[in-house]
Amino acid sequence: MVFLKNTFLFIVLLLPSLCYSNNYVSRVSYYSTPDGMGTPSGACGYGDYGKDVNSGDVCTASKRLYKNGAACGACYQVRCKDKDLCSDEGTKVVVTDNGEGHGTDFILSSRGYAKMAKQPNMAQHLFAKGVVEVEYRRVSCKYGGGNLMVKVQEHSKHPNYLAVLVMNQGGATDILSVEVFEEETKEWISMRRAYGAVFDLSNPPSGELKVRFLTSAGAETKWVESDKAVIPAEWKAGITIETDIQLS
């Protein structure tokens, strides 16, 4: 176990498989913040992490794409269809919130929205439009170090209530469920999705906890299980636990 700035490092092995989806057509808008980045109050529960993850290139997702929080951390390549104003590469944004406008599937941070422009000085024309037609696809992307991370939420109360925030799932992978292993009964116990990417459990098992995640990437759904305990026996609110799981 290595302790680095209140972060615990555990070894968990998973070979990533890249998943790229088909292109879809929709519309996007943008929202403004003082620095052009995300907001810490997004529905995924990321807090400050949701403000500057992926360098602030973030977005809200419509109810259809948000999927009750399973899409938190999803990465999309979004390209506007105005070839005079927009680049072929477009922008890659990470879902941190739930929200939609009239006929839109995404509302991008102004920083992410501007990156659709062919040249930086053309971004003002995109902002003047307010809403633009786009094509988008689900992609794999690396942000925040690339490894799956679990943060014990600040409102957790040892030993009676455990809430964890799952971060850095790789962009192309949804996390559908989270379970912890009870050593005494040799059973996996399901955590409840409280909201967004936050899962909780009243009266969690004592001792170190192994964790597994039900993941979905395209048509493939599978459990990803930690080989070693991920959550320490004397867990405390606010700690962040980094594994070496890398989901695509």
Side-chain angles (χ1 to χ4, degrees):
M1 184 185 302
V2 179
F3 296 85
L4 293 173
K5 296 182 178 180
N6 206 32
T7 298
F8 296 86
L9 178 63
F10 294 85
I11 304 301
V12 184
L13 179 61
L14 176 71
L15 294 178
S17 59
L18 295 179
C19 175
Y20 294 86
S21 70
N22 297 324
N23 289 330
Y24 300 94
V25 175
S26 186
R27 287 151 49 96
V28 305
S29 185
Y30 70 93
Y31 64 88
S32 297
T33 58
D35 57 8
M37 301 176 76
T39 171
S41 58
C44 288
Y46 287 143
D48 288 336
Y49 169 86
K51 178 179 181 295
D52 55 19
V53 64
N54 196 40
S55 300
D57 297 341
V58 298
C59 67
T60 74
S62 63
K63 181 178 181 180
R64 176 178 66 87
L65 296 177
Y66 184 69
K67 294 178 285 189
N68 195 37
C72 287
C75 190
Y76 287 92
Q77 181 186 35
V78 182
R79 301 183 296 182
C80 77
K81 300 178 71 175
D82 187 332
K83 300 302 181 183
D84 293 330
L85 289 178
C86 301
S87 69
D88 292 335
E89 180 65 22
T91 184
K92 287 184 179 179
V93 289
V94 172
V95 174
T96 61
D97 201 355
N98 177 27
E100 57 193 278
H102 180 66
T104 68
D105 275 309
F106 304 101
I107 305 175
L108 278 58
S109 65
S110 56
R111 179 185 175 94
Y113 186 86
K115 288 187 176 179
M116 292 190 295
K118 186 178 293 186
Q119 300 291 339
N121 61 359
M122 293 181 176
Q124 60 182 322
H125 301 295
L126 287 180
F127 285 119
K129 289 178 176 291
V131 179
V132 294
E133 294 185 352
V134 298
E135 61 179 16
Y136 68 90
R137 63 173 181 158
R138 185 78 178 265
V139 297
S140 176
C141 62
K142 299 300 180 185
Y143 52 84
N147 293 340
L148 190 70
M149 300 177 70
V150 175
K151 179 181 179 181
V152 178
Q153 290 292 82
E154 283 78 2
H155 53 280
S156 297
K157 300 292 183 182
H158 188 279
N160 300 316
Y161 175 73
L162 174 64
V164 298
L165 170 68
V166 182
M167 304 179 292
N168 289 8
Q169 64 252 42
T173 304
D174 290 341
I175 293 181
L176 306 180
S177 301
V178 178
E179 295 184 348
V180 294
F181 188 71
E182 184 172 36
E183 187 65 35
E184 183 177 348
T185 62
K186 306 298 183 183
E187 294 180 346
W188 288 96
I189 300 174
S190 295
M191 302 187 76
R192 177 184 70 112
R193 186 187 294 274
Y195 56 91
V198 176
F199 296 81
D200 67 359
L201 179 64
S202 296
N203 301 313
S206 59
E208 295 182 328
L209 298 179
K210 293 178 65 175
V211 182
R212 70 177 182 178
F213 307 88
L214 181 61
T215 65
S216 174
E220 182 182 18
T221 300
K222 63 181 179 181
W223 285 101
V224 178
E225 179 181 332
S226 60
D227 291 330
K228 296 182 179 180
V230 170
I231 300 175
E234 298 301 322
W235 51 264
K236 296 180 180 179
I239 66 170
T240 299
I241 305 152
E242 181 177 0
T243 76
D244 75 347
I245 296 176
Q246 290 194 357
L247 302 178
S248 63

